[in-house]
Amino acid sequence: EGREPRLMGPYTDRDPFHDPLVAFGYLAGITKRIELHTGVLILPQRQTVLVAQQAADVDLLSHGHLRLGVGAGWNYVEYHALGQDFASRGRRLSEQVPLLRRLWSEPLVTFEGQFDQIDRGCINPRPRRDIPVWFGGFGEAAFKRAAKMGDGFSFAGDVETALAGLERTRELLAEEGRDIAAFGCELILTR
């Protein structure tokens, strides 16, 4: 309380969270059938190469049951505490997802981006498949990012808001020339 601008998100400092990739490493050892979905990992708050290796490890340990849900986030306090720039989170996320995919699929990566630089680096072991990357969020920027580079979208909120977001995402998928039927969708009811 008492912050300007005021924080108005779906959780507060009283809501506990485990790190999803750490928890999924544990769960991968005790389950064989459930899908493990980070819905939603705030990717711009994390180092891209580290997430690539952690996600690859979880996917390998779970025998291909990881679905990586990512988003830009809304909580500027978290960004500040982690030494990351809140204003550039969307641009960073848009750079990170293609880089993750390269790290998962190529034996050696050279990359010179605005936020990440890699000189002939890799992760090892790499996953045995393309890890699905889903997006989450509440606005036009999230829908556009998902339509351009995502495998699916996790809509959150009430049904009416989710359906409006789904319709907009389908329009953007069509503009991108992507197969709407191949794009995954889910609703996480929060109200």
Side-chain angles (χ1 to χ4, degrees):
E1 290 192 35
R3 292 187 190 277
E4 286 299 324
R6 187 169 173 232
L7 291 174
M8 301 195 43
Y11 58 84
T12 71
D13 60 321
R14 292 177 293 281
D15 294 304
F17 290 94
H18 289 288
D19 181 273
L21 296 173
V22 171
F24 288 174
Y26 170 77
L27 291 173
I30 61 173
T31 184
K32 300 260 188 275
R33 297 184 300 200
I34 66 171
E35 180 179 51
L36 305 172
H37 176 219
T38 62
V40 167
L41 182 78
I42 308 304
L43 189 56
Q45 293 179 349
R46 296 172 179 247
Q47 297 166 317
T48 311
V49 175
L50 181 60
V51 171
Q53 185 66 67
Q54 290 172 329
D57 288 345
V58 168
D59 199 63
L60 289 164
L61 293 170
S62 69
H63 305 286
H65 289 180
L66 176 64
R67 179 167 35 119
L68 188 67
V70 299
W74 58 270
N75 190 332
Y76 69 89
V77 175
E78 292 173 347
Y79 275 86
H80 179 74
L82 294 167
Q84 296 296 329
D85 179 37
F86 183 73
S88 65
R89 69 194 189 282
R91 290 189 313 278
R92 181 158 188 214
L93 177 58
S94 293
E95 180 178 289
Q96 286 178 294
V97 171
L99 180 54
L100 286 173
R101 288 190 167 127
R102 287 190 60 197
L103 288 162
W104 291 331
S105 63
E106 297 176 22
L108 205 57
V109 174
T110 296
F111 180 81
E112 188 69 37
Q114 180 181 356
F115 303 98
D116 285 297
Q117 294 80 41
I118 302 171
D119 180 16
R120 296 163 290 175
C122 68
I123 63 166
N124 192 11
R126 293 189 316 274
R128 293 185 189 100
R129 67 179 188 126
D130 295 331
I131 297 172
V133 179
W134 284 39
F135 284 79
F138 300 97
E140 183 73 7
F143 303 148
K144 283 182 177 181
R145 239 179 248 109
K148 183 175 181 141
M149 67 181 84
D151 297 307
F153 199 95
S154 296
F155 299 92
D158 60 57
V159 174
E160 185 176 307
T161 301
L163 289 175
L166 174 60
E167 181 59 32
R168 180 61 183 141
T169 302
R170 285 180 173 163
E171 292 169 1
L172 292 165
L173 286 164
E175 289 174 17
E176 290 287 335
R178 296 194 54 205
D179 181 4
I180 294 170
F183 187 84
C185 297
E186 72 180 358
L187 168 60
I188 300 169
L189 288 174
T190 60
R191 297 181 215 133

